Amino acid sequence: MDDVLVTGLGALSPLGAGTDAFWRGMHAADTAPLRVPDPLAHMDHPLMYLVPEADVPDGPEEQDGLPLGRGSRFALAAAREAVLDAGLAGPPAPDTGRDRGRGAAQDAGRDTGQDAGRDGVRDAGRDAGPDAPRAGLDPRAGLDPRAGLDPRRVAVALSSGMGDTDLHEGWWTGQAPASGRWAPTFPVASVVGGWFGAQGVNTCVSNACAASGYALSVAADLIRSGEADVVIAGGAEAYSRVALGCFNRLGAIDPERCRPFSAERRGTVFGEGAAVLVLESAAHARARGARTVYGRLAGAGWSCDAYHATAPEPSGAQIERAMREALREAGAGGGSGAGGLGFVMPHGTGTELNDVVESRVLGALAPRTPLYSVKALIGHTGGAAGAFAALAAALVLHHKTLPPNVPIGEPDPECAVPLPSGSAPMTGGYGLVNAYAFGGNNISLVFGEAAA
């Protein structure tokens, strides 16, 4: 079976725009949530890890006549960076005075040579530098027809828990001008697919906080089954008054910050942003001369607790099943060395039972494997959480360094998991990513180092 490679990364997060900002933020390990700037957020703890205002995309405001919310704009920003990073971004589309849409991308992709201009695109991406997501990629650019791409074999699998709900919340309260046209709540995959002219499968996964983990697994299945050569995969999540209000009513928001596995934790704190990975078959990546391979998606395991609408099943049997299946599929062992598990990106949200159950399973399955908590850094990004953890895993594998965890205070003795406070070299060739959700939806992914 052909390997599924990670050939491009894109991020827009509370740490700023771009994967460089994300990696620097992982090492700085110093973040805090903010009060949401929403006068209608009448709730006890209106806190969130927000994308810095200077990095919030100012457009596009609509596509094909349909207004786009914050979530879709986040997804587009991260996808643009990921496609550029993969060396698949084309030249700017002609400025026709109309919205950038699918037609321009498809027209540009007809009947061009596979190798023409490939080196120029590769060099342009290599020289783009840390500001590439904004300065290096023209906002009208789609897929590069010179990279040998068949748009019918480019797919999109993105996720979101709340989609573009912010648009609808604005209309309900009169805070936003009413649109003359209906707008769907979950358009993120179709928006990105339309932007790049991806004519393969375009699907939006929305099974709560496991969604982007499932989206990445779906992307890998599309590649392994021969349905796609390239998949733009990940997740996006933006501030939603409804979501934050609901979790406040549940008593599930920590009044200070997100601190998974801490003895003082009192719930989670949401974050927003988008994380996108370009997944590609190894054969296709070799044929086009992909310039960077961050790692490979080596294994995946799904399960469902079938227990409760919101609470995790206390024994952890089904999350253990998902982890074991992902490790088995990847061929990853529990020890150190190239074939061993080097780190875990846990689901750990800061809620009481969730952290305890996952800790117990990890303690039995990988007792000495260090954890890196993405949620302690940027909060719980809901439907994008698995994608952010996967992006972090790809960066760790690429740089062969595990950054320091954000300090969480006194650890919970019931959560006896190692959370290193300093940077450390990787001790194994694989990383495990967990993402769990309401309804008992569980997914574990295993990412491995790129083959030499």
Side-chain angles (χ1 to χ4, degrees):
M1 184 164 29
D2 203 11
D3 279 345
V4 176
L5 305 183
V6 181
T7 58
L9 299 174
L12 179 63
S13 77
L15 304 173
T19 54
D20 286 343
F22 194 84
W23 182 243
R24 288 194 300 269
M26 288 177 72
H27 281 275
D30 183 18
T31 57
L34 302 171
R35 185 182 180 89
V36 297
D38 179 358
L40 297 182
H42 303 306
M43 54 193 79
D44 292 338
H45 306 302
L47 298 175
M48 193 164 179
Y49 293 81
L50 297 168
V51 171
E53 191 60 33
D55 294 312
V56 174
D58 57 6
E61 293 186 358
E62 61 177 47
Q63 182 169 298
D64 297 326
L66 294 178
L68 300 183
R70 194 174 173 101
S72 288
R73 296 201 301 272
F74 285 177
L76 271 175
R80 290 174 190 167
E81 182 191 7
V83 169
L84 174 67
D85 186 41
L88 297 174
D95 187 356
T96 62
R98 61 183 177 89
D99 293 336
R100 170 73 171 83
R102 172 173 291 184
Q106 290 180 353
D107 291 344
R110 291 198 182 104
D111 301 326
T112 55
Q114 290 191 2
D115 298 321
R118 183 187 295 161
D119 292 336
V121 172
R122 188 177 305 138
D123 292 341
R126 185 181 294 120
D127 297 337
D131 294 325
R134 290 176 177 273
L137 178 59
D138 188 286
R140 293 169 291 147
L143 294 172
D144 189 357
R146 300 166 299 181
L149 285 172
D150 180 348
R152 297 168 299 181
R153 298 187 57 78
V154 178
V156 177
L158 291 174
S159 67
S160 183
M162 297 302 292
D164 282 351
T165 305
D166 62 307
L167 276 180
H168 297 261
E169 291 173 357
W171 295 334
W172 297 336
T173 59
Q175 285 192 306
S179 170
R181 295 187 64 184
W182 173 82
T185 308
F186 293 95
V188 289
S190 61
V191 166
V192 170
W195 185 277
F196 288 106
Q199 298 173 8
V201 170
N202 280 229
T203 187
C204 181
V205 182
S206 189
N207 57 342
C209 305
S212 52
Y214 273 77
L216 288 161
S217 181
V218 167
D221 285 348
L222 287 170
I223 291 170
R224 288 176 179 142
S225 67
E227 291 289 326
D229 297 322
V230 174
V231 185
I232 302 167
E237 205 71 272
Y239 166 65
S240 162
R241 185 187 309 122
V242 168
L244 188 54
C246 286
F247 269 69
N248 268 269
R249 290 296 297 272
L250 287 169
I253 297 294
D254 192 299
E256 294 186 22
R257 57 196 176 99
C258 194
R259 39 189 170 178
F261 312 110
S262 169
E264 300 170 336
R265 71 189 185 281
R266 293 168 61 187
T268 196
V269 179
F270 288 152
E272 66 172 4
V276 173
L277 293 76
V278 172
L279 300 185
E280 187 170 356
S281 74
H284 191 271
R286 283 194 301 270
R288 72 175 182 88
R291 66 171 179 264
T292 302
V293 176
Y294 291 94
R296 54 197 175 90
L297 205 174
W302 296 2
S303 71
C304 183
D305 291 348
Y307 170 75
H308 191 273
T310 59
E313 194 277 313
S315 76
Q318 292 306 315
I319 67 171
E320 180 177 354
R321 174 185 159 211
M323 289 187 224
R324 288 190 181 279
E325 175 61 21
L327 291 166
R328 183 202 62 77
E329 188 174 274
S336 60
L341 189 60
F343 61 90
V344 176
M345 302 285 176
H347 179 65
T349 60
T351 52
E352 184 175 358
L353 186 57
N354 183 296
D355 291 7
V356 170
V357 172
E358 186 177 15
S359 294
R360 288 174 182 165
V361 173
L362 287 172
L365 197 64
R368 292 175 296 279
T369 304
L371 274 60
Y372 181 84
S373 175
V374 177
K375 291 181 181 68
L377 181 72
I378 61 169
H380 187 358
T381 49
F388 270 114
L391 181 138
L395 288 171
V396 168
L397 289 164
H398 183 64
H399 293 286
K400 302 185 186 304
T401 302
L402 190 66
N405 277 280
V406 174
I408 60 166
E410 185 69 25
D412 185 344
E414 288 197 78
C415 300
V417 290
L419 290 162
S421 58
S423 295
M426 242 177 49
T427 57
Y430 292 91
L432 173 67
V433 171
N434 292 332
Y436 311 139
F438 282 174
N441 291 291
N442 309 308
I443 178 119
S444 290
L445 304 170
V446 173
F447 288 84
E449 289 182 301

